Amino acid sequence: MREEILRAAGSAGGGAAAQEDYLVAPIPIRRSLIGTALRLTTVAAAAWTVISLLTSVSVAAAVPVLVGVLPVIWRMVDQSWRFSSTLDSGVVNLTYGLANRRRQAVPLDRIHAVKLSQPVLWRPLGWWEVTVNVAGYATTGARAGTLTLLPVGSLEQALEVVAALSPAPCTAPCPAPDPATAEVGMRSPRRARWVSPVDWKRQTVTLEGGVAVVTYGAVSRRYVFVEIPHIQELTYTQGPVQRWLRLAHVRLDLVPGPVKATVRDLEEDHARELVDKLRARNLPG
């Protein structure tokens, strides 16, 4: 799938991309605004402001919250405003921006991890987001570009973007990938409900075709795709309650970025087996 998308993009002529040549066609402004409004950050800030205005709580109490949250909300709007992307010779070319139109190039070979996620308030609308970690990219400061390669889109759009960015086989992500059918597959056991009562059924990891796929989240759903050679380090962690339940986390340490990958609440033996298998990975030359 990834190779087919790249060939189609590479065969396109110069000039403005035709509609069928977009990886992500320009996102409607209405969708960008609604998507931002339905973020928990936006909802929480609005709720706290309303509470401050309608109760005896001082309005001044809302100011620190707004000062911290408004730049985040502005950044979400700005980075999704008329967002579009195309593929050309192994590079994803992005165009976006409200205050200033920005163009950004993201080489596919520097993408180390891809996350497909669905915030809880987007679920009735069927919208998804795709973010990435890119080696050598600044994640903060004035020079930092966006690491969101689909700010808000349909499941079909999201799967097409993931297929272009990652060699992992990517199908409709409901339910979570079945570990029983993968080369290596593990999931949280039933007793993990004591430490993760909501998410435990969706906490899985599969290793297949050189890609680790980590899933978690029953309310806000998340799927992380990492090419195994791009895993920087491995961390086995076990808290006191996990030790009593014979469970453990395995964190896959990645290059800096918004994508995090932790395999949660595995059986102790399975967690150690996973660490041993990933330690034997072939590292990039």
Side-chain angles (χ1 to χ4, degrees):
M1 179 67 175
R2 181 178 181 178
E3 288 76 11
E4 292 172 0
I5 294 174
L6 286 173
R7 284 198 297 270
S11 63
Q19 178 71 24
E20 61 270 16
D21 295 327
Y22 282 114
L23 177 59
V24 177
I27 294 175
I29 293 172
R30 179 173 174 269
R31 183 188 297 177
S32 295
L33 295 175
I34 294 174
T36 301
L38 292 179
R39 294 278 192 173
L40 289 179
T41 302
T42 308
V43 172
W48 180 245
T49 303
V50 170
I51 290 171
S52 300
L53 294 174
L54 298 182
T55 67
S56 58
V57 176
S58 172
V59 175
V63 173
V65 175
L66 294 176
V67 168
V69 169
L70 286 179
V72 176
I73 296 173
W74 165 255
R75 186 162 58 250
M76 289 189 290
V77 172
D78 185 52
Q79 293 185 348
S80 67
W81 191 266
R82 295 174 56 204
F83 179 100
S84 66
S85 68
T86 60
L87 273 171
D88 183 18
S89 302
V91 176
V92 183
N93 297 296
L94 314 177
T95 304
Y96 61 92
L98 172 56
N100 297 292
R101 295 297 287 170
R102 297 188 62 177
R103 298 185 184 278
Q104 181 179 335
V106 181
L108 288 179
D109 58 5
R110 292 173 65 181
I111 295 176
H112 279 209
V114 180
K115 181 171 73 174
L116 172 65
S117 59
Q118 185 180 50
V120 60
L121 296 179
W122 289 9
R123 291 185 65 173
L125 299 170
W127 291 343
W128 293 79
E129 176 185 47
V130 178
T131 53
V132 296
N133 287 3
V134 180
Y137 264 48
T139 57
T140 59
R143 297 181 59 189
T146 184
L147 292 173
T148 300
L149 299 196
L150 177 64
V152 52
S154 67
L155 176 59
E156 181 181 3
Q157 283 181 302
L159 293 178
E160 184 175 356
V161 172
V162 172
L165 304 180
S166 170
C170 184
T171 58
C174 304
D178 185 2
T181 64
E183 295 172 10
V184 175
M186 303 171 184
R187 66 167 64 248
S188 296
R190 183 174 178 79
R191 64 178 179 275
R193 70 189 187 277
W194 296 108
V195 289
S196 187
V198 176
D199 291 353
W200 70 274
K201 288 185 178 181
R202 295 190 60 84
Q203 294 175 165
T204 71
V205 60
T206 59
L207 309 181
E208 190 164 16
V211 179
V213 182
V214 180
T215 72
Y216 58 99
V219 179
S220 295
R221 292 180 287 182
R222 299 175 180 87
Y223 302 79
V224 178
F225 306 86
V226 184
E227 292 185 53
I228 291 173
H230 288 158
I231 298 172
Q232 305 291 296
E233 298 289 345
L234 298 162
T235 305
Y236 176 102
T237 62
Q238 187 179 51
V241 178
Q242 286 179 308
R243 190 175 300 115
W244 177 63
L245 293 170
R246 304 188 309 281
L247 303 171
H249 291 339
V250 177
R251 187 177 74 235
L252 313 183
D253 295 312
L254 309 171
V255 296
V259 181
K260 312 296 180 186
T262 298
V263 187
R264 305 175 182 212
D265 301 315
L266 292 179
E267 297 265 10
E268 283 180 329
D269 292 344
H270 288 172
R272 293 191 182 99
E273 179 186 350
L274 178 63
V275 170
D276 290 341
K277 287 183 178 295
L278 292 177
R279 277 178 177 165
R281 68 193 183 280
N282 294 321
L283 299 175

